[in-house]
Amino acid sequence: MLRKRKDTQKETLNEGHRRFASNSTQASIIGSATRSTTNYISIALLAVVLVLTVCNFISLKRLENYDFFKNRKSEDTNKQVADRPRVWIRGQRMEAGYLKHVIDVFQRIGFQTVNGSFQEWDILWSHEYPFTKGYFKTLKPHQKVNHFPGSGYITNKVSLATSDLKHIPVAFLLPKSKDKLLKFVEENPDHLWVKKSNDHRGIRIENLTVSDLDSPGTFVQQYIHNPFLIDGKKFDIGIYVTLTSVKPLRVYIYENDVLLRFCFKEYHPFDENNIDSYVVADDYTPIWEMPSLRKYYVDLNLNMKQSLNAYLRSMDVDPEQIWTQIEESIASVYVAKETMMSQLSTAFNSSRHFFEMVRFDFLLDEHLNVYLMEANMSPNLSSAHFAENKLLYEQVIFNLLSLIGATRSLDIHSWTNYPSKAWDMRVSDKDLSVYEDICSSTECHLSCKSSNCQVCFYCLKDDFKLHLKDAYLEHNSKWGTKRLIPSTNESFIKPMDSVNELNRLWFIGKCIQDESWC
Ligand SMILES: *[C@@H]1O[C@H](CO)[C@@H](O)[C@H](O)[C@H]1NC(C)=O
Ligand SMILES: *[C@@H]1O[C@H](CO)[C@@H](O)[C@H](O)[C@H]1NC(C)=O
Ligand SMILES: *[C@@H]1O[C@H](CO)[C@@H](O)[C@H](O)[C@H]1NC(C)=O
Ligand SMILES: *[C@@H]1O[C@H](CO)[C@@H](O)[C@H](O)[C@H]1NC(C)=O
Ligand SMILES: *[C@@H]1O[C@H](CO)[C@@H](O)[C@H](O)[C@H]1NC(C)=O
């Protein structure tokens, strides 16, 4: 169609050129025949010819502009809309606007929003856990979903609190662990307890009564009674954590900034009935209203994390000890839950369809020990209450989308279909080769059995290569995020099975090649 139209245009154009040429010839003939007549007539004639020529030219040009640009424009716009990647954003009562920043960032990176119930989509961003809702039965190879099957092992309060991990205050599920609890209380009579349930937001300090211990669906957790206070207020530290793969496990944290939220009221004098003094609620005190932090956050224009660091240093405290514990705690949770989660992913063709960002909330005690309170699925990214948080939320979303490859919208429909030309220029097989000294040994050439040889390119299995290519791309687009797992630090928490060991070995190999991987 397009070609035909263009050919027709060409003909019109040539015809126009011919006419223009013959007009000029006419003009010169006329000129020579009337040399003896007065200048007056010749000028008049010339003027007429000139006007005719110009008219001819203008109408030709107009024709050309009109037809040509009109067609091209509409073709281009249609093509753009069809090719633009599609995100299906959904959540209950979305009209309330709490997903505004999510929608904005997706649009800014070139996505069009669609209704996936009847339109094609590339990414599903679901506020609710989508796997029990029947939003989809199967996933097409290129589709990505913002939750992992089984992420509830991490975000479910009971499941997390009863994980028996360092940095998580001890907790007991009732009535199942009633006896254990009673024994523990006997040995630690000074502990305070909070009763929690999965359905209820928020917590409340309770004196344990015998009747409590038999009510199903609740659990009690040790209450951290000596929190670290700033300007007399208790606060929590929200860390945005992204999981991009299980088996092998890859976990990242947003490193540039954190969310600090301070209790509405001062902690002392302590009173259990004054919940606003020990629970961070929706109308918490923001950092810019905290006298000791305001000067960093507002006057020096630092972000929340930098402000906290600067404040702690001014108190002669090294903030690194906090961040190290926080990283340890997050890593330990994923390592503990990975196997259960990966079993649920097997219902799908590949766990490469999934990514998930959650917010881990931490608390410090007065000795700067770190405690993990909660991991929130679909953390609130709405700045409706505190407009100043817009920047943080948009950066968190943008960094996440960059990490998972959504900002590389070129050829998005084939992002899982290696190899293709579009991918080789970003990550090719050559980028996967590590340990050239070991891999050139006779031992490895004879057999891939030895664990050192398994990471040699010629020993890698095809599906594992895809994971490594994902990891390579994440490394190059991680922006303000930091990889926690796998870590090249030998003494850092790590999953111990063979798939993850092989994965870690590969990262160490990359780290030897280029220290930005360490
Ligand atoms: C999407 O389409 C489905 C099916 O037509 C409809 O029930 C649903 O309300 C639509 N959702 C939105 C947000 O428009
Ligand atoms: C399943 O995954 C493999 C490798 O990840 C891929 O090659 C294949 O196309 C996928 N099949 C379907 C039906 O998605
Ligand atoms: C718990 O018991 C103590 C001492 O018996 C009492 O002072 C306190 O008010 C009680 N707390 C609650 C929340 O009932
Ligand atoms: C998110 O937080 C805002 C206040 O900042 C609140 O108005 C809104 O209800 C919250 N949304 C959800 C889904 O919790
Ligand atoms: C390696 O990990 C251990 C354990 O978490 C930590 O104490 C140490 O500081 C880390 N080393 C480096 C260089 O990060």
Side-chain angles (χ1 to χ4, degrees), residues 93 98 127 201 282 284 380-386 393:
R93 295 180 293 105
Y98 62 94
H127 190 73
R201 285 195 68 208
D282 269 350
Y284 59 87
N380 194 333
L381 296 167
S382 156
S383 62
H385 198 53
F386 295 113
Y393 295 152

Side-chain angles (χ1 to χ4, degrees), residues 223-429:
Y223 175 72
I224 307 301
H225 63 94
N226 56 343
F228 183 83
L229 307 177
I230 296 181
D231 297 333
K233 286 187 172 176
K234 181 177 163 179
F235 62 98
D236 67 9
I237 305 176
I239 311 280
Y240 294 94
V241 182
T242 299
L243 175 66
T244 60
S245 173
V246 293
K247 294 277 179 260
L249 189 60
R250 289 197 308 278
V251 179
Y252 298 80
I253 60 169
Y254 181 57
E255 211 195 7
N256 278 6
D257 206 355
V258 299
L259 177 68
L260 294 182
R261 301 179 305 171
F262 296 82
C263 286
F264 188 62
K265 295 196 175 136
E266 292 192 2
Y267 192 71
H268 292 297
F270 185 70
D271 172 5
E272 293 116 324
N273 298 313
N274 192 354
I275 291 185
D276 281 341
S277 72
Y278 63 91
V279 175
V280 173
D282 269 350
D283 57 346
Y284 59 87
T285 308
I287 185 169
W288 51 91
E289 286 172 18
M290 298 294 296
S292 294
L293 294 171
R294 189 183 161 78
K295 64 177 177 225
Y296 300 111
Y297 186 82
V298 179
D299 304 348
L300 296 180
N301 207 21
L302 298 178
N303 67 26
M304 294 196 201
K305 184 177 182 180
Q306 292 163 342
S307 300
L308 178 63
N309 282 346
Y311 171 79
L312 291 172
R313 282 193 208 103
S314 78
M315 310 277 289
D316 258 340
V317 172
D318 175 16
E320 278 316 308
Q321 56 180 306
I322 296 170
W323 308 122
T324 309
Q325 290 179 74
I326 283 180
E327 290 180 5
E328 245 175 46
S329 170
I330 294 169
S332 71
V333 170
Y334 283 93
V335 168
K337 309 290 187 183
E338 185 205 8
T339 299
M340 289 185 289
M341 286 179 67
S342 76
Q343 276 158 7
L344 288 177
S345 288
T346 55
F348 295 88
N349 185 33
S350 160
S351 72
R352 293 174 67 224
H353 288 298
F354 312 113
F355 65 94
E356 181 153 18
M357 183 187 71
V358 303
R359 195 191 68 223
F360 279 64
D361 291 340
F362 289 94
L363 176 72
L364 306 177
D365 72 11
E366 59 194 4
H367 309 295
L368 295 173
N369 295 310
V370 160
Y371 297 92
L372 174 55
M373 295 289 115
E374 236 172 63
N376 303 277
M377 185 185 91
S378 298
N380 194 333
L381 296 167
S382 156
S383 62
H385 198 53
F386 295 113
E388 288 225 28
N389 286 343
K390 171 175 182 244
L391 178 68
L392 170 66
Y393 295 152
E394 288 190 346
Q395 288 179 331
V396 163
I397 300 162
F398 175 76
N399 274 266
L400 167 67
L401 296 184
S402 172
L403 181 69
I404 62 139
T407 54
R408 301 188 297 259
S409 56
L410 171 73
D411 220 358
I412 199 156
H413 304 292
S414 64
W415 65 6
T416 47
N417 279 344
Y418 304 112
S420 80
K421 282 176 198 150
W423 283 108
D424 281 351
M425 68 184 187
R426 295 162 189 278
V427 52
S428 72
D429 286 349

Side-chain angles (χ1 to χ4, degrees), residues 47-182:
V48 169
V49 167
L50 222 96
V51 165
L52 278 173
T53 312
V54 167
C55 285
N56 220 330
F57 188 75
I58 286 175
S59 65
L60 170 72
K61 262 297 187 231
R62 189 181 289 160
L63 196 86
E64 181 189 2
N65 281 344
Y66 179 77
D67 248 335
F68 184 62
F69 284 113
K70 189 178 170 212
N71 285 330
R72 195 175 65 180
K73 228 174 205 157
S74 64
E75 295 264 347
D76 271 8
T77 328
N78 286 339
K79 191 163 178 291
Q80 270 170 17
V81 170
D83 279 359
R84 267 168 56 200
R86 294 151 177 254
V87 60
W88 178 23
I89 300 175
R90 62 170 306 160
Q92 279 164 20
R93 295 180 293 105
M94 249 175 80
E95 59 285 357
Y98 62 94
L99 292 175
K100 177 180 189 305
H101 298 318
V102 174
I103 296 167
D104 284 354
V105 176
F106 266 110
Q107 284 178 347
R108 265 179 234 154
I109 64 169
F111 274 72
Q112 52 183 320
T113 49
V114 295
N115 181 342
S117 304
F118 62 91
Q119 281 174 291
E120 287 289 325
W121 53 274
D122 300 301
I123 294 184
L124 166 62
W125 182 288
S126 170
H127 190 73
E128 283 83 35
Y129 185 73
F131 302 103
T132 49
K133 304 257 177 191
Y135 291 166
F136 48 81
K137 290 193 185 69
T138 56
L139 290 167
K140 294 180 183 157
H142 65 279
Q143 288 179 324
K144 287 209 177 221
V145 176
N146 73 329
H147 294 279
F148 265 86
S151 61
Y153 287 118
I154 292 169
T155 55
N156 173 292
K157 282 182 197 174
V158 177
S159 172
L160 183 70
T162 55
S163 301
D164 193 20
L165 294 170
K166 194 179 163 189
H167 301 297
I168 298 183
V170 58
F172 298 91
L173 182 60
L174 297 172
K176 198 176 120 195
S177 307
K178 180 177 161 186
D179 296 339
K180 275 194 207 157
L181 170 64
L182 291 174

